[in-house]
Amino acid sequence: MHLNDPMLGRFITVEGIEGVGKTTNIQFIQDWLKNNNIPFIQTREPGGTELGEKLREMLLHGGDVCDDAELLMMFASRAQHLSEKIKPALKAGTWVICDRFTDSTYAYQGGGRELKLENISQLEKMVHAGLQPDLTLLLDAPVEIGRARAAKRGAFDRIEAEDLAFFNRVRNMFLSRAKAYDRYAVIDAAQPLKSVQSAIQLELQKLMTKADNL
Ligand code: Z5A
């Protein structure tokens, strides 16, 4: 979403490779919003709606899914999510915190799977032309660190089972997009959690100041 449009809620997305601390830090963001009396919803992709959660289950734990089907399922989940949940919340002035969004599609299906970026861009235009996050927090850490943290959780899902080269392509795509778009804030997620959260808090304060000045 653009800061000067009439939708009042702010749209925050949290991105990064697996294990960098998205879930942990989304909890921190929720606490910060509560302390600042800002109404919000928290959601995730793929998922966030009944249809999206069914697609998520098939994507992460189903059998074989070919690369093009994977791409289209990510956008099918997103189209439903935007229509049913994200846009109504933003229109009502509610902030939305979303665990992953279209930047993940560029990173995983574009970078990781090496699908054509023009096709992703076409789908992005079809599904959410004119709507982008106000702030994208990219939690960045070397792949080895993220994987070691994620491994503590147990068995890998269908996408997590990819190799290091795949996740390095994913990370590089996130970093190259962060250079291209001002809405990104890159947070060094290899630091101790307290330092990560101080950096996130600074970004939230900047966003709140911009929203107050509208
Ligand atoms: N996907 C896609 O391919 N295309 C798309 O368009 C979209 C998604 C939208 C969804 O997984 C999968 O879908 C994902 C991309 C794909 N697949 N992969 N891989 P997800 O987002 O639900 O899950 P995930 O990325 O695998 O996240 P995760 O493993 O749950 O990790 P996390 O949420 O980033 O990390 P965490 O659970 O908060 O932290 C992991 C551990 O590290 C935990 O023990 C923490 O206490 C610890 N931690 C966190 N921060 C720190 C610091 N700073 N220091 C030390 N320890 C820490």
Side-chain angles (χ1 to χ4, degrees):
M1 201 174 69
H2 297 293
L3 283 170
N4 58 357
D5 78 15
M7 287 173 148
L8 291 176
R10 303 290 102 187
F11 185 19
I12 302 172
T13 56
V14 183
E15 298 281 6
I17 55 164
E18 53 157 359
V20 283
K22 292 178 300 300
T23 311
T24 311
N25 288 299
I26 283 173
Q27 187 53 56
F28 171 80
I29 296 170
Q30 293 189 69
D31 292 343
W32 186 89
L33 291 170
K34 273 184 210 149
N35 290 337
N36 283 282
N37 295 317
I38 295 172
F40 68 91
I41 57 164
Q42 191 262 310
T43 186
R44 67 174 180 180
E45 291 208 349
T49 63
E50 196 181 335
L51 174 66
E53 291 297 327
K54 284 184 181 150
L55 289 167
R56 180 186 177 94
E57 182 58 28
M58 287 189 251
L59 279 159
L60 302 185
H61 305 289
D64 184 41
V65 179
C66 75
D67 291 354
D68 284 344
E70 183 178 280
L71 172 64
L72 293 166
M73 286 162 81
M74 293 297 174
F75 272 105
S77 167
R78 184 161 302 133
Q80 187 69 24
H81 197 197
L82 282 157
S83 155
E84 198 178 311
K85 209 162 175 181
I86 298 177
K87 285 185 184 172
L90 294 173
K91 280 187 181 145
T94 302
W95 288 34
V96 175
I97 315 163
C98 193
D99 187 343
R100 300 190 178 281
F101 193 61
T102 300
D103 293 294
S104 275
T105 313
Y106 279 98
Y108 283 82
Q109 283 64 51
R113 302 268 186 242
E114 301 181 284
L115 298 184
K116 283 192 182 140
L117 298 184
E118 307 92 84
N119 290 344
I120 300 176
S121 169
Q122 291 267 321
L123 289 164
E124 179 183 29
K125 283 192 191 109
M126 179 187 156
V127 170
H128 62 94
L131 178 91
Q132 289 294 343
D134 296 296
L135 171 65
T136 298
L137 293 164
L138 173 60
L139 301 180
D140 178 62
V143 169
E144 292 77 5
I145 293 184
R147 284 188 78 75
R149 288 184 193 160
K152 288 188 203 144
R153 247 190 355 223
F156 284 148
D157 64 36
R158 196 181 61 82
I159 297 176
E160 286 169 339
E162 292 296 334
D163 60 15
L164 277 184
F166 176 95
F167 287 103
N168 275 312
R169 289 196 299 276
V170 171
R171 182 186 182 207
N172 290 337
M173 182 63 76
F174 274 131
L175 288 171
S176 80
R177 288 181 64 74
K179 283 202 185 114
Y181 299 103
D182 287 347
R183 65 183 162 83
Y184 265 90
V186 182
I187 311 284
D188 176 1
Q191 308 173 90
L193 195 52
K194 275 235 174 288
S195 312
V196 172
Q197 294 181 338
S198 302
I200 290 176
Q201 188 167 330
L202 270 182
E203 297 302 328
L204 294 173
Q205 270 158 349
K206 277 194 233 163
L207 183 64
M208 188 167 71
T209 310
K210 276 192 209 160
D212 284 348
N213 289 339
L214 279 182

